[in-house]
């Protein structure tokens, strides 16, 4: 649209801009209404998202606390000799009293070269082929360029030997002894290798402890490339067994076999391939042998479990209090969102006080939140049914958690601390089941599971209504309303521009007419005045 030529009231003496501005104020009133409606929707959207944030925080609190079985298996474990045997609870909810005597710790097997790899000039950082003249080789072993393979296997963490070999490739013209050792250490062979520059020997140590039933814990494949045996002088599995059987003779010590941990627990002699193992949900760590029995006792950590439940109750109460406050918040309809012109005429403090009332009550009586609160109360109050409950607890009241008798509290939970501690000590697993029992129906689910289901459902409904920050407006209901209002605002602004241009055209035409009339009047006055003078 071409710009309209505007002539301010030079001819008429009128303030045309002021007159048009006043006329446009009336024309803009519907636009102000649209902008106010848009602002209200944005405030409502933001309040919904705050409620979702609140619910999400409650869900996280449940998941990290009462939803975890580990929360209810916390125990205070005491060893009479912590330096020799330590124990921690992994998954047991039962009490523990046991005695343990350690007669042997588990040890790693290791082996090392019988003699130095090479002479004094040997350099482990240079390629093996370049060091050929400095290396002492057995059985006429020849170093040559090209890919070679060595194969190793070592005891696994369960005390058994793997059925498959781990193959490591190297090229003497490319690899040094150092790089070959790095390849061994980064492989799945289950050993740690190192080169000792002082003795010039190479050592292999099993990563896992224990005595493998096959008779050897580290095995080198002598049928593959014999570099480990004929160059590094590492023993084959039969050699290390023979060398350690009779260390008093002149046999060169080539290493040692692995050992299992041997101990007697509650009178039962047994063994394990490692010094760290689990029995009945408790993890034992053996640190040294003992001359006498070590006593281990474990009892429920009532304080830790109590604090987790109290943390949930506090978060639950805080959440429902804030939702209730949002539902009851007063709606001040006499305080609509301020227009830009209204803000210009007010101080920042006046704007703040006005908008505090204008924003109030955006979710007053909201059906989604009201329904969520009702379901959450039912989740908490309704009896838990199912297979695990007859021998345990079916309602929160049984463990000392009841609802406030004041209806204004909106379902706030109250803890009887003495009773709750007693029930935790009495049967922590039953308390866990009350919160977390799984089931096909809502009635069979524990309270924590019910609440998480309700929270998930509510968050989904609110997202359909108010979306998430990463969503586009097209993806949720309020967003689609905002799209429509923005379209209406754009169309109305175009219309206002046309109306404003029309007003200016009309006043410009008036000004031009007055100017012509003034010119004609002046002409006549000059004409008549000139004639009379003549």
């Amino acid at each position: 649209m071409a710009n309209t030529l505007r002539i301010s009231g030079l001819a008429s003496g009128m303030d045309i801009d002021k007159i048009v501005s006043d006329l446009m104020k009336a024309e803009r009133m519907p636009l102000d209404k649209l902008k106010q409606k848009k602002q209200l929707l944005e405030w409502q959207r933001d309040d919904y998202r705050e409620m979702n944030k609140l619910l999400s925080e409650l869900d996280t609190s449940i998941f990290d606390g009462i939803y975890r079985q580990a929360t209810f298996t916390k125990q205070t474990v005491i060893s009479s000799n912590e330096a020799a045997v330590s124990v921690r609870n992994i998954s047991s909810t039962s009490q523990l009293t046991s005695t343990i005597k350690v007669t042997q710790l588990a040890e790693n097997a290791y082996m090392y070269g019988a003699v130095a790899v090479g002479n004094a000039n040997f350099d482990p950082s240079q390629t093996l082929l370049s060091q050929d003249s400095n290396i002492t080789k057995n059985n006429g072993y020849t170093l040559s360029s090209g890919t070679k393979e060595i194969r190793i296997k070592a005891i696994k963490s369960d005390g058994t030997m793997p059925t498959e070999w781990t193959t490591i490739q190297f090229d003497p013209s490319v690899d040094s002894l150092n790089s070959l050792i790095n390849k061994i250490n980064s492989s799945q062979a289950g050993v740690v290798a190192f080169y000792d520059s002082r003795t010039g020997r190479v050592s292999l140590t099993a990563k896992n402890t224990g005595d493998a039933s096959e008779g050897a814990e580290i095995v080198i494949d002598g049928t593959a490339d014999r570099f480990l045996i004929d160059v590094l002088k590492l023993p084959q599995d039969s050699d290390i067994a023979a060398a350690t059987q009779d260390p008093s003779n002149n046999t060169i010590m080539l290493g040692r076999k692995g050992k299992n941990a041997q101990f007697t627990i509650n009178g039962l002699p047994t063994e394990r391939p490692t010094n760290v193992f689990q029995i009945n949900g408790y993890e034992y760590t053996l640190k040294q042998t003992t001359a006498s029995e070590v006593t281990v006792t474990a009892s429920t950590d009532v304080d830790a479990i109590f604090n987790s439940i109290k943390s949930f109750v506090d978060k639950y109460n805080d959440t429902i209090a804030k939702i209730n406050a949002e539902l009851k918040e007063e709606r001040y309809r006499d305080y609509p969102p301020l227009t830009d012109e209204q803000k210009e005429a007010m101080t920042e403090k006046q704007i703040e006080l006005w908008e505090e009332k204008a924003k109030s009550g955006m979710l007053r009586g909201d059906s989604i939140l009201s329904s969520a609160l009702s379901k959450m109360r039912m989740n908490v109050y309704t009896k838990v049914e199912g297979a695990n409950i007859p021998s345990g607890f079916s309602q929160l009241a049984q463990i000392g958690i009841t609802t406030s008798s004041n209806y204004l509290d909106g379902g706030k939970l109250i803890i009887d601390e003495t009773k709750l501690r007693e029930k935790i000590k009495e049967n922590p697993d039953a308390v866990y089941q009350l919160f977390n029992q799984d089931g096909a129906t809502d009635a069979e689910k524990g309270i924590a599971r019910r609440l998480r289901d309700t929270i998930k459902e509510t968050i989904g409904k609110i997202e359909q209504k108010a979306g998430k920050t990463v969503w586009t407006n097209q993806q949720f209901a309020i967003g689609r309303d905002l799209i429509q209002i923005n379209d209406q605002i754009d169309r109305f602004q175009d219309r206002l521009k046309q109306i404003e241009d029309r007003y200016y055209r009309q006043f410009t035409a008036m000004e031009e007419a007055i100017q012509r009339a003034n010119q004609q009047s002046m002409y006549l006055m000059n004409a008549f005045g000139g004639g009379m003078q003549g």
Side-chain angles (χ1 to χ4, degrees):
M1 180 185 294
N3 290 331
T4 302
L5 179 63
R6 296 175 177 176
I7 302 176
S8 296
L10 295 175
S12 65
M14 300 168 61
D15 188 346
I16 303 302
D17 288 335
K18 179 67 167 59
I19 295 172
V20 173
S21 176
D22 290 341
L23 289 169
M24 291 305 298
K25 284 182 180 178
E27 298 287 354
R28 284 196 181 92
M29 288 181 64
L31 177 63
D32 290 339
K33 294 292 185 185
L34 285 173
K35 288 183 176 180
Q36 288 172 328
K37 184 178 180 181
K38 176 184 176 182
Q39 181 64 81
L40 289 172
L41 283 173
E42 289 174 341
W43 285 341
Q44 187 183 55
R45 174 201 63 195
D46 294 344
D47 280 1
Y48 269 127
R49 291 180 180 179
E50 279 299 310
M51 292 297 98
N52 256 5
K53 180 183 176 184
L54 190 68
L55 289 167
S56 181
E57 289 172 351
L58 174 60
D59 185 63
T60 300
S61 175
I62 293 172
F63 180 79
D64 290 340
I66 61 168
Y67 193 73
R68 294 181 181 273
Q69 186 173 19
T71 296
F72 298 88
T73 59
K74 292 177 180 177
Q75 294 191 339
T76 302
V77 184
I78 300 174
S79 168
S80 64
N81 188 350
E82 191 73 25
V85 180
S86 64
V87 181
R88 69 186 183 99
N89 186 29
I90 300 298
S91 59
S92 177
T93 57
S94 61
Q95 306 293 315
L96 170 69
T97 300
S98 67
T99 58
I100 183 169
K101 182 178 181 180
V102 184
T103 54
Q104 177 176 284
L105 293 178
E107 295 180 349
N108 307 74
Y110 61 76
M111 61 168 61
Y112 52 84
V115 296
V117 176
N119 58 34
N121 295 321
F122 175 71
D123 186 347
S125 65
Q126 300 298 314
T127 64
L128 291 165
L129 198 57
S130 71
Q131 295 294 300
D132 184 56
S133 60
N134 296 321
I135 296 176
T136 304
K137 300 180 285 293
N138 291 339
N139 302 324
Y141 186 90
T142 302
L143 281 172
S144 59
S145 62
T147 302
K148 301 178 183 296
E149 291 185 348
I150 54 175
R151 301 203 299 175
I152 306 171
K153 57 183 175 180
I155 189 171
K156 298 187 295 183
S157 60
D158 63 359
T160 64
M161 293 294 289
T163 56
E164 301 293 331
W165 294 93
T166 295
T167 301
I168 298 116
Q169 295 183 336
F170 72 104
D171 184 339
S173 65
V174 175
D175 287 298
S176 64
L177 179 60
N178 287 345
S179 67
L180 174 57
I181 286 174
N182 287 336
K183 286 184 176 181
I184 293 172
N185 290 341
S186 61
S187 73
Q188 300 299 313
V191 297
V192 176
F194 77 92
Y195 171 72
D196 178 41
S197 59
R198 186 175 183 85
T199 62
R201 301 186 189 189
V202 171
S203 169
L204 293 183
T205 302
K207 291 181 179 179
N208 297 308
T209 57
D211 180 3
S213 58
E214 288 86 343
E217 292 77 50
I218 304 174
V219 183
I220 295 170
D221 185 7
T223 64
D225 189 278
R226 292 180 59 85
F227 179 84
L228 296 179
I229 299 169
D230 292 339
V231 177
L232 302 189
K233 317 299 188 302
L234 291 168
Q236 298 185 64
D237 57 292
S238 58
D239 296 331
I240 188 173
T244 55
Q245 285 172 2
D246 188 10
S248 63
N249 62 24
N250 294 325
T251 305
I252 297 175
M253 292 299 295
L254 302 173
R256 75 175 183 198
K257 289 178 58 60
K259 294 180 180 179
N260 284 344
Q262 296 179 353
F263 55 95
T264 300
I265 184 165
N266 292 347
L268 173 66
T270 185
E271 60 184 65
R272 295 290 187 279
T274 69
N275 292 314
V276 181
F277 51 87
Q278 290 187 26
I279 296 178
N280 290 341
Y282 289 93
E283 181 184 84
Y284 291 77
T285 300
L286 308 185
K287 303 174 183 178
Q288 62 185 42
T289 58
T290 60
S292 58
E293 291 183 334
V294 176
T295 301
V296 178
T297 58
S299 58
T300 301
D301 190 342
V302 175
D303 286 342
I305 299 173
F306 173 86
N307 289 335
S308 293
I309 296 174
K310 185 177 185 302
S311 178
F312 153 70
V313 170
D314 289 344
K315 188 65 177 178
Y316 174 85
N317 286 341
D318 179 64
T319 301
I320 64 170
K322 288 180 178 177
I323 294 176
N324 270 316
E326 200 76 19
L327 289 170
K328 296 175 182 177
E329 191 174 59
E330 189 68 30
R331 180 78 182 96
Y332 298 97
R333 299 191 182 278
D334 293 336
Y335 287 81
L338 295 169
T339 64
D340 292 338
E341 289 184 357
Q342 289 171 330
K343 287 182 180 179
E344 289 175 3
M346 299 169 70
T347 65
E348 288 187 7
K349 186 62 176 178
Q350 288 173 328
I351 294 172
E352 179 185 344
L353 293 173
W354 183 283
E355 290 195 340
E356 184 179 332
K357 289 187 178 294
K359 292 179 179 180
S360 177
M362 291 293 100
L363 301 180
R364 181 178 176 84
D366 180 75
S367 60
I368 297 176
L369 295 177
S370 297
S371 175
L373 274 187
S374 296
K375 287 185 178 180
M376 289 169 70
R377 293 190 191 104
M378 290 296 292
N379 293 156
V380 170
Y381 306 152
T382 306
K383 181 178 179 180
V384 179
E385 301 174 353
N388 294 321
I389 295 305
S391 59
F393 308 117
S394 61
Q395 291 180 307
L396 283 179
Q398 293 175 305
I399 64 170
I401 302 176
T402 56
T403 306
S404 170
S405 58
N406 186 348
Y407 77 95
L408 294 176
D409 287 338
K412 177 181 178 181
L413 297 178
I414 306 294
I415 296 177
D416 180 336
E417 294 194 8
T418 301
K419 185 174 182 179
L420 179 55
R421 289 179 186 277
E422 287 176 354
K423 297 305 177 182
I424 292 171
K425 185 176 181 179
E426 175 186 317
N427 195 341
D429 186 58
V431 178
Y432 168 75
Q433 292 296 338
L434 173 63
F435 284 110
N436 292 292
Q437 176 177 274
D438 201 1
T441 65
D442 199 59
E444 294 174 317
K445 290 182 180 180
I447 291 166
R449 290 184 182 274
R450 292 174 181 172
L451 281 172
R452 295 196 72 205
D453 288 346
T454 297
I455 290 170
K456 181 180 178 181
E457 178 188 1
T458 305
I459 287 176
K461 288 180 178 179
I462 290 177
E463 285 176 350
Q464 291 303 311
K465 181 81 172 178
K468 298 189 287 189
T469 54
V470 296
W471 285 16
T472 64
N473 280 346
Q474 193 62 49
Q475 293 177 278
F476 58 98
I478 291 178
R480 289 188 287 273
D481 290 342
L482 287 171
I483 290 174
Q484 291 181 355
I485 290 177
N486 284 330
D487 289 342
Q488 291 174 352
I489 288 173
D490 290 342
R491 290 195 299 269
F492 204 87
Q493 285 175 330
D494 289 340
R495 181 166 173 261
L496 288 176
K497 182 68 170 59
Q498 294 171 0
I499 293 172
E500 186 180 48
D501 287 344
R502 190 187 74 215
Y503 280 139
Y504 272 108
R505 285 197 303 271
Q506 291 171 340
F507 281 108
T508 297
M510 180 192 74
E511 287 288 321
E512 289 173 344
I514 292 172
Q515 189 173 16
R516 285 195 299 271
N518 288 341
Q519 288 172 347
Q520 290 173 356
S521 175
M522 184 63 68
Y523 173 78
L524 291 173
M525 287 178 64
N526 289 336
F528 285 116
M532 292 175 64
Q533 289 177 1

